[in-house]
């Protein structure tokens, strides 16, 4: 597949994504330098994911800031559909979400749609519930503000969510979801209904508060079709359209094609041991280096296709100066592929060591994060 | 419309129903004299609605009695979809359901799907919720055993019901509901999902008890398509097929066409005053009498098309001997149409006087009937 042949749906990403083309296809806006400056007025520093264009696109972020500047604080809404272990591709957007929560001091509603992958996949209901618990531990471990973070679990909070979901559902026809999500006549009726439940956290806090609170959804760009439909429907129910801020995909170990995913070859999981991380990076991480050390020293490597370098850029080296130095050294051949991989392995393992410690402590905190309103 | 041109769907009944043809179309069995005898072993007396063929058809009632005789008691499941006031057509099946509860001493799960008519109709969500409350009063007023009767309200009990509904939904495709319920591409996705929620009370008590309890659903025959689908799905989830016992429709005031319904001309509501009942019967109840009193005395009337007589037969004269006497006197011309109507008016008003008293007392009992797990 070349750049002309990529596809992005909420369930699958294939090929090398042309993000400019995708923005046109989805109708989302690029985050402009002016918008970055406007954000910076409030955040003081810009998160490196903003500086580096990892969060690159948005809907209605200017409107959201208008509201914020008028004193109408927003809430954040993001989520995780449990079906397997959490990997670095998931963690990327959540780290950014935590930063938004901290710098704006806002509530975060974190949805766990624990029926989605049951309705759309092959796993049993009980297996999905096991992953629900495991995934909650990962989210808690990232350090979200426990006073301002509210987990919504679709089945557990159905008495709160289903009455709102049917109001959404009444405004959506079968032909609308068919075209948005590629469903057909053989699709099960739960999967057809599902997007209504995903829309609910975008306005539920307003229903609970009894007044309209703006909503900002940080998410990877492949989820945009869900929220595009949500944005069409919510004004018909008297609610604001949610704003969004969208990120590119963390590359899989095999290179800049698709996204890191449990179903597509090896991913790095939050529960991996240092040895497993070392093995995966050394064995699978696509290298931008030359075939021989001699060639590498002479011509240098290509950090822009090197997956280890990408992981530093996307997640593990927040310092632009240090990142630039690695880029230069690798490109000039001063740094070997082995050395670059070792830097990344060490960074990942340092992150995971702390994460796994927090993840263990999270076992005692789960109930306090689940919304009990 | 003649007998050849009738149609029965869960939402609409048109024409004079040929119940033998309908049984063949739906694939339900007639309640045979042998089955009546078998029932009578347990109930001692047979309810007049059984003796008179008002409850006339069933699915798996012999299997249910096999289970019962082995000591495996069943539970009852019926329901009311709130969207307007309760009329005599609704009360008919519930009076029989109460009798079943009393003679078999069993639990009744009474579903109020307070989203159905919102999803399938034009009324607002809030208006439906008002009718939910009003309709609960009517059900309580009929005297169901408060210790053994459990109201399930779809939105209020969604945390209990939605996790089970999605398991049902996963087994039902869009093309299955399209053909069962006449939905199409312009149908909203809530209406497409809805039948999953209606299936849940047929096995929820088994889920709660942690063992399979047989289920018997008393209902008017037009609801069979919902439960036919339920019966197809439940074994795939490891549950028994629910049995059912089905009744004919109470005729509307205008005669033996369709069923009593709020949308089709005048119905007699449980909140009607004695004056309103008198007015409706006198003005609208189709009469089997002759054009003049003289002709009536000479040739007699036709009780089998007379709506006042039908109401006595279906609901208000449990004594077969008395009913036969009225039949004979009317047929021979001894009893006039005015006299027959007056008997029916008096019977309805006596019933409604007590019902309205109980309905007032029910206002204090609502919360005790709602299932609280």
């Amino acid at each position: 597949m070349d750049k002309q042949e990529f596809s992005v749906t909420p369930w699958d990403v294939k090929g090398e994504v042309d993000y400019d083309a995708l923005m046109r296809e989805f109708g989302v806006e690029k985050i402009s330098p002016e918008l970055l400056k406007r954000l910076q007025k409030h955040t003081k520093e810009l998160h490196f994911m903003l500086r580096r264009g990892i969060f690159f696109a948005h809907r209605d972020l200017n409107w959201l800031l208008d509201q914020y500047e008028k004193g109408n604080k927003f809430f954040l809404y993001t989520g995780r559909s449990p079906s397997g272990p959490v990997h670095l591709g998931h963690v990327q957007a959540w780290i950014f979400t935590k930063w938004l929560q901290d710098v704006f001091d806002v509530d975060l509603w974190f949805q766990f749609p624990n029926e989605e992958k049951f309705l759309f996949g092959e796993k049993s209901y009980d297996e999905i519930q096991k992953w629900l618990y495991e995934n909650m531990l990962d989210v808690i471990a990232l350090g979200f503000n426990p006073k301002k973070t509210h987990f919504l679990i679709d089945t557990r909070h159905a008495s709160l969510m289903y009455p709102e979901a049917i109001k959404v559902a009444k405004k959506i026809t079968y032909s609308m979801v068919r075209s948005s999500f590629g469903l057909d006549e053989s699709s099960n009726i739960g999967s057809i209904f599902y997007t209504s439940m995903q829309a609910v956290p975008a306005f539920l806090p307003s229903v609970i508060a009894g007044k309209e609170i703006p909503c900002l959804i940080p998410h990877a760009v492949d989820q945009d079709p869900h929220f595009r439909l949500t944005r069409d429907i919510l004004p018909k129910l008297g609610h604001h359209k949610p704003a969004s801020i969208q990120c590119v995909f963390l590359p899989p170990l095999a290179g800049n094609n698709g996204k890191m995913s449990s179903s597509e070859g090896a991913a790095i999981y939050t529960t991996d041991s240092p040895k497993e991380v070392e093995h995966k990076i050394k064995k699978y991480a696509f290298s931008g280096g030359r075939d021989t050390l001699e060639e590498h020293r002479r011509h240098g490597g290509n950090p822009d296709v090197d997956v280890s370098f990408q992981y530093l850029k996307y997640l593990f080296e927040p310092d632009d100066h240090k990142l630039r130095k690695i880029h230069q050294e690798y490109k000039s051949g001063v740094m070997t592929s082995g050395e670059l991989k070792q830097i990344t392995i060490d960074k990942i393992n340092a992150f995971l060591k702390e994460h796994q410690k927090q993840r263990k402590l999270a076992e005692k905190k789960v109930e306090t994060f689940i919304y009990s309103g």
Side-chain angles (χ1 to χ4, degrees), chain A:
Chain A
M1 271 193 175
D2 61 21
K3 278 214 177 193
Q4 276 70 54
E5 298 173 57
F6 68 93
S7 95
V8 174
T9 71
W11 302 285
D12 199 22
V13 177
K14 278 204 160 48
E16 189 177 344
V17 179
D18 177 341
Y19 287 102
D20 287 323
L22 191 64
M23 280 192 291
R24 285 192 299 276
E25 184 191 326
F26 280 6
V28 299
E29 273 183 80
K30 191 160 184 142
I31 298 176
S32 67
E34 294 72 35
L35 184 50
L36 281 181
K37 266 188 209 144
R38 190 175 178 193
L39 271 168
Q40 198 168 4
K41 276 201 312 191
H42 300 288
T43 65
K44 285 169 196 150
E45 265 206 281
L46 280 179
H47 195 275
F48 70 86
M49 292 189 197
L50 284 169
R51 296 196 306 263
R52 295 173 191 171
I54 293 163
F55 273 82
F56 74 111
H58 75 101
R59 291 181 183 271
D60 282 347
L61 205 47
N62 276 304
W63 167 82
L64 192 91
L65 291 173
D66 291 345
Q67 293 286 319
Y68 186 79
E69 289 167 9
K70 278 192 256 177
N72 197 11
K73 255 195 186 187
F74 56 90
F75 67 90
L76 294 161
Y77 157 33
T78 194
R80 158 73 181 153
S81 184
S83 72
V86 161
H87 55 62
L88 298 181
H90 304 122
V91 160
Q92 171 184 309
W94 301 341
I95 287 175
F96 182 72
T97 302
K98 171 177 156 41
W99 176 79
L100 286 173
Q101 179 177 55
D102 290 343
V103 294
F104 287 101
D105 189 31
V106 289
D107 280 302
L108 164 63
W109 291 78
F110 202 111
Q111 181 184 30
F112 292 92
N114 62 329
E115 81 282 48
E116 182 184 14
K117 294 291 168 62
F118 168 69
L119 291 169
F120 284 92
E122 297 306 318
K123 289 193 177 136
S124 74
Y125 184 77
D126 289 343
E127 187 178 351
I128 298 285
Q129 307 322 304
K130 190 196 83 174
W131 289 117
L132 163 66
Y133 176 75
E134 294 294 325
N135 294 178
M136 288 194 292
L137 298 182
D138 280 302
V139 173
I140 295 168
L142 289 172
F144 290 100
N145 183 342
K147 291 213 173 69
K148 299 204 166 194
T149 303
H150 318 286
F151 289 179
L152 281 178
I153 302 167
D154 282 15
T155 63
R156 180 154 164 181
H157 294 99
S159 296
L160 207 56
M161 297 176 70
Y162 181 70
E164 302 305 325
I166 57 168
K167 293 171 195 165
V168 176
K170 192 169 178 184
K171 303 287 186 192
I172 303 177
T173 64
Y174 170 72
S175 54
M176 285 160 74
V177 293
R178 187 189 45 193
S179 57
S180 290
F181 305 118
L183 299 168
D184 64 30
E185 307 210 335
S186 69
S187 299
N188 75 64
I189 61 177
S191 66
I192 292 169
F193 177 70
Y194 169 70
T195 196
S196 321
M197 291 292 279
Q198 185 151 341
V200 169
F203 66 96
L204 186 67
S206 295
V207 172
I208 292 171
K211 66 182 172 84
E212 278 303 298
I213 311 173
C215 170
L216 174 63
I217 312 177
H219 63 81
V221 64
D222 56 341
Q223 296 299 307
D224 188 70
H226 272 300
F227 300 119
R228 210 181 313 155
L229 195 56
T230 303
R231 285 169 52 86
D232 287 345
I233 302 303
L234 262 52
K236 298 180 186 171
L237 300 175
H239 299 296
H240 290 318
K241 291 185 180 196
S244 63
I245 185 163
Q246 310 192 7
C247 65
V248 301
F249 309 114
L250 187 72
L253 284 158
N256 288 324
N257 248 335
K259 64 172 181 177
M260 183 176 277
S261 151
S262 309
S263 49
E264 305 276 332
I268 296 175
Y269 298 105
T270 57
T271 49
D272 279 351
S273 68
K275 281 261 168 254
E276 284 170 311
V277 170
E278 184 179 1
H279 175 73
K280 285 176 181 178
I281 292 291
K282 284 190 173 165
K283 179 153 179 168
Y284 298 113
F286 183 82
S287 169
R290 301 284 171 169
D291 288 346
T292 65
L293 181 61
E294 202 192 339
E295 270 188 86
H296 189 82
R297 291 291 190 208
R298 190 175 314 147
H299 302 293
N302 181 356
D304 300 325
V305 301
D306 187 285
V307 165
S308 303
F309 183 80
Q310 299 308 311
Y311 291 173
L312 295 177
K313 175 180 165 188
Y314 278 62
L315 268 170
F316 297 112
E317 186 43 81
D319 185 321
D320 289 350
H321 181 74
K322 287 185 186 163
L323 189 74
R324 206 173 309 118
K325 191 156 172 273
I326 294 168
H327 192 273
Q328 285 164 350
E329 290 187 357
Y330 191 64
K331 202 166 180 177
S332 67
V334 171
M335 183 182 286
T336 66
S337 291
E339 287 163 344
L340 175 56
K341 285 196 170 192
Q342 195 57 52
I343 292 172
T344 303
I345 291 165
D346 291 344
K347 287 277 191 181
I348 295 175
N349 280 335
F351 169 79
L352 289 184
K353 189 181 173 188
E354 176 63 17
H355 185 81
Q356 288 165 9
K357 190 181 124 196
Q358 293 301 329
R359 205 177 177 284
K360 183 78 198 150
L361 295 172
E363 290 172 9
K364 292 206 161 53
K365 302 180 192 167
V366 173
E367 283 300 319
T368 66
F369 274 85
I370 296 172
Y371 180 68
S372 62

